[in-house]
Amino acid sequence: GDPQVPVLYKVERTRTGKSFSVRSVKAIQHGKPIFICQASFQLSQGSPVQHQFTMPAVPPPEELLTQEELIQKFLQNPNLAERYRKHLNKIQAEDVPIDIKPVNPPDIFCSQLQEPKQLFWVRARGYIGETDMKVHCCVAAYISDYAFLGTALLPHRQYRIKFMVSLDHSMWFHAPFRADHWMLYECESPWAGGCRGLVQGRLWRRDGVLAVTCAQEGVIRVEQTPNQSKL
């Protein structure tokens, strides 16, 4: 999309029921669709049938470094290769409106392959407050896309990325939450192949309630020759 050009949204009433409704939305710029979304809505209903996974036991966000602090720590190392220095400076220059604290940050000096799982404490920067829950859902959708697909690359760190982009992104909202409060983002990739990767994620409130579940498939293209060294 082009942020300088207005977006035309075409909304189709796909289904309207007593408890559930579905709307299809197409975003158009320059006469072409740039985004297609299907949104489902449900009236609030109670049920005795309920369960959830258990939130992972991790250190609280107050005990962890932010992504910016970790980058500064890496940049201070004189042995850091120039291309990694440029990459980290590029990340640092991005104006990302999210506070991120990795629970187990990858060591860029280690060439060991990692399991395709990662954990972050995340929250929106600034104060959103007790507003319409749909606002917090929109912010969570933005947060959920950040570094999500990269989970599929953790077992393949010897390759240099040529191209990586999301194909589709699905979200299910389970419980109320505040996007400007710390939430634990649990990400894992069960499969990658054929220049595609699949990732799944869970956003947990600090009190252990599972608030959101996410899934994404994306294109991942890498150089065929593995990198020989991280330094």
Side-chain angles (χ1 to χ4, degrees), residues 61-73:
E62 291 78 15
E63 296 181 8
L64 300 171
L65 297 176
T66 64
Q67 180 170 273
E68 289 84 357
E69 291 168 336
L70 287 166
I71 289 175
Q72 278 297 330
K73 184 178 176 182

Side-chain angles (χ1 to χ4, degrees), residues 2-156:
D2 185 346
Q4 305 299 321
V5 177
V7 181
L8 173 65
Y9 292 98
K10 296 182 67 174
V11 181
E12 177 186 339
R13 294 174 178 263
T14 310
R15 180 180 183 275
T16 301
K18 293 181 179 180
S19 301
F20 294 87
S21 295
V22 180
R23 300 290 183 265
S24 299
V25 183
K26 184 181 290 185
I28 300 172
Q29 276 186 337
H30 303 295
K32 297 180 179 180
I34 60 169
F35 175 79
I36 296 174
C37 169
Q38 181 167 289
S40 300
F41 304 90
Q42 179 193 7
L43 290 174
S44 181
Q45 296 174 300
S47 171
V49 180
Q50 52 183 312
H51 70 269
Q52 66 166 49
F53 283 173
T54 301
M55 178 178 172
V58 299
E62 291 78 15
E63 296 181 8
L64 300 171
L65 297 176
T66 64
Q67 180 170 273
E68 289 84 357
E69 291 168 336
L70 287 166
I71 289 175
Q72 278 297 330
K73 184 178 176 182
F74 286 134
L75 290 174
Q76 289 170 5
N77 192 312
N79 296 320
L80 182 66
E82 185 59 29
R83 66 186 183 89
Y84 286 101
R85 190 175 298 278
K86 288 181 180 178
H87 177 65
L88 291 175
N89 280 322
K90 183 180 178 182
I91 295 175
Q92 196 174 42
E94 293 175 353
D95 186 18
V96 179
I98 311 170
D99 285 325
I100 304 167
K101 291 193 173 186
V103 175
N104 298 112
D107 185 352
I108 62 172
F109 296 100
C110 176
S111 59
Q112 266 191 333
L113 308 183
Q114 288 184 268
E115 194 177 10
K117 295 182 179 181
Q118 53 184 343
L119 294 158
F120 306 93
W121 284 105
V122 292
R123 69 178 178 187
R125 286 181 176 166
Y127 176 78
I128 299 176
E130 298 286 351
T131 184
D132 191 322
M133 187 60 212
K134 291 189 286 291
V135 174
H136 290 280
C137 289
C138 290
V139 175
Y142 181 90
I143 290 174
S144 70
D145 191 45
Y146 191 80
F148 194 21
L149 190 56
T151 309
L153 285 167
L154 293 177
H156 313 284

